[in-house]
Amino acid sequence: MLTRIDEFFTKQIHSCAIAGHVNPDGDCVGSVAAMYLYIRKYFPWIDVRLYLEQPKDELMFLPGLKDAIFERPKAGKTDLFITCDVSAIDRIGLAEELFGMAEHTLCVDHHVSNPHFAENNLVDAEASSCAEVLFYLMDEEKIDSEIAEALYTGIIHDSGVFQYKNTRPETLEAAASLLRKGVPFNEIIDDSFNKRTYLQNRILGYVLCGSRLYADGRIVAGSVTYSEMDRFGATKKDLDIIVSQLRLTKGVEAAVFVYQTGTEEFKVSLRSNTYLDVAAVAGRFGGGGHVRAAGCTIKGDVDSVEKAIVEAVRAGL
Ligand code: AMP
Ligand code: MN
Ligand code: MN
């Protein structure tokens, strides 16, 4: 049974740090922003700080982010450290050392692979998003229009605007409550989720053109190297829609997208449509995630990485 989040904010808690995961997505940023605003407004004796890797520009509108700290914090003791949308301890990133030194730790998450790495773990793997988990942990009456905007953003990003399988009746019930708080939903959906820059559209087109089918068309794979990214002026932040588009290829069960993150190092994004557990496939390479969306990092050159991950996916089909 999930505990209401308010119970953690006792008078003994004077300092609190909140952090999301590396390469923060809309759910991560929406969740940490909502958590930050909630504590700041209703538990004013707590000195609360929000640590986050710099998010994509289209998420920077979220209230609360102007106070966020985008750099590695100095080591020190915090009374309570809360992670949001963090599936494993090594995904905290910048503030990981602070997490290790905290008096109490709380993990709020929805990843099925979460190993419950904190002292207290409020993990609901059935929820669409961490923001949805938070919605049900917060006191609904305390959710003001700014907190609602942040939670709504988290939910729409991880549910693909209520399209992915992780959408459940509770997701829509949470969204309905948030709409009643006055969330400007169509601006948020278009501006933070649907719109692409010209550059992003071009690199999407490039990867789709070069994509390859395997296993009689049940796997599609695309890749991009640093030199190709340079040609378009793209960074990793311009790539996140690509695997979603690959997944929509007719006949495909699994989509694989490989992009360079270092010398001889590639990030792999995996998506499946109906039955393949991609979290298990990613797990074989030290990664994780959800049944239908997971990731891992593999060392090697682009061809060997694609071959290794496609073989692992094929073995699971
Ligand atoms: P991505 O393909 O990066 O969008 O990630 C899909 C899902 O898998 C997200 O929920 C991530 O949190 C999770 N994920 C991605 N990479 C890793 C990793 N190396 N370890 C654990 N989880 C991951
Ligand atoms: Mn996330
Ligand atoms: Mn999430």
Side-chain angles (χ1 to χ4, degrees), residues 21 23 25 85 87-88 90-91 110-111 113 158 243 259 267-271 286-290 293-297:
H21 60 73
N23 197 11
D25 53 27
D85 202 37
S87 60
D90 62 353
R91 307 233 336 131
H110 69 122
H111 290 86
S113 62
D158 258 24
V243 73
Y259 62 94
K267 170 73 202 283
V268 176
S269 282
L270 298 172
R271 299 291 183 271
H290 310 277
C296 57
T297 294

Side-chain angles (χ1 to χ4, degrees), residues 48-287:
V48 54
R49 294 184 190 190
L50 170 53
Y51 298 102
L52 196 62
E53 210 177 89
Q54 181 73 45
K56 286 176 281 197
D57 293 346
E58 56 267 33
L59 293 169
M60 286 301 293
F61 74 97
L62 280 172
L65 285 196
K66 61 176 182 336
D67 304 331
I69 301 160
F70 298 120
E71 53 205 44
R72 186 175 297 279
K74 279 200 222 67
K77 197 166 150 297
T78 314
D79 293 336
L80 176 63
F81 193 117
I82 306 175
T83 65
C84 293
D85 202 37
V86 177
S87 60
I89 204 161
D90 62 353
R91 307 233 336 131
I92 297 175
L94 292 176
E96 191 178 329
E97 197 184 352
L98 219 55
F99 178 91
M101 300 174 79
E103 183 72 25
H104 297 287
T105 57
L106 169 64
C107 161
V108 183
D109 190 30
H110 69 122
H111 290 86
V112 67
S113 62
N114 190 303
H116 291 215
F117 58 82
E119 176 189 9
N120 290 288
N121 300 277
L122 303 175
V123 180
D124 181 359
E126 300 287 307
S128 66
S129 49
C130 181
E132 184 184 322
V133 179
L134 269 180
F135 172 85
Y136 286 105
L137 288 171
M138 287 176 173
D139 183 344
E140 197 170 342
E141 285 183 4
K142 290 203 187 99
I143 298 177
D144 65 15
S145 61
E146 290 198 328
I147 298 168
E149 215 173 294
L151 291 175
Y152 190 84
T153 302
I155 292 174
I156 61 137
H157 276 255
D158 258 24
S159 69
V161 196
F162 316 113
Q163 292 180 73
Y164 304 152
K165 276 259 174 59
N166 59 9
T167 304
R168 56 179 184 166
E170 290 84 347
T171 315
L172 296 165
E173 281 154 9
S177 164
L178 298 172
L179 286 200
R180 286 193 194 95
K181 308 273 183 182
V183 169
F185 62 92
N186 77 327
E187 284 92 333
I188 293 183
I189 294 170
D190 254 0
D191 294 347
S192 81
F193 190 79
N194 287 333
K195 281 191 185 164
R196 306 284 156 219
T197 62
Y198 180 63
L199 180 161
Q200 287 164 346
N201 274 337
R202 288 192 72 224
I203 194 147
L204 167 67
Y206 174 79
V207 176
L208 296 180
C209 271
S211 64
R212 294 156 290 280
L213 290 173
Y214 296 94
D216 301 321
R218 288 176 299 157
I219 304 173
V220 65
S223 63
V224 67
T225 60
Y226 274 163
S227 70
E228 291 166 315
M229 284 158 73
D230 283 350
R231 207 186 308 159
F232 289 92
T235 68
K236 67 176 182 186
K237 287 183 182 146
D238 298 311
L239 307 176
D240 57 358
I241 197 215
I242 295 177
V243 73
S244 317
Q245 191 59 43
L246 287 169
R247 182 185 69 83
L248 294 173
T249 312
K250 270 194 183 170
V252 151
E253 170 58 17
V256 174
F257 177 53
V258 173
Y259 62 94
Q260 192 160 11
T261 47
T263 320
E264 302 272 294
E265 184 192 274
F266 288 82
K267 170 73 202 283
V268 176
S269 282
L270 298 172
R271 299 291 183 271
S272 64
N273 275 315
T274 49
Y275 64 89
L276 180 70
D277 180 353
V278 286
V281 176
R284 291 178 51 186
F285 298 92

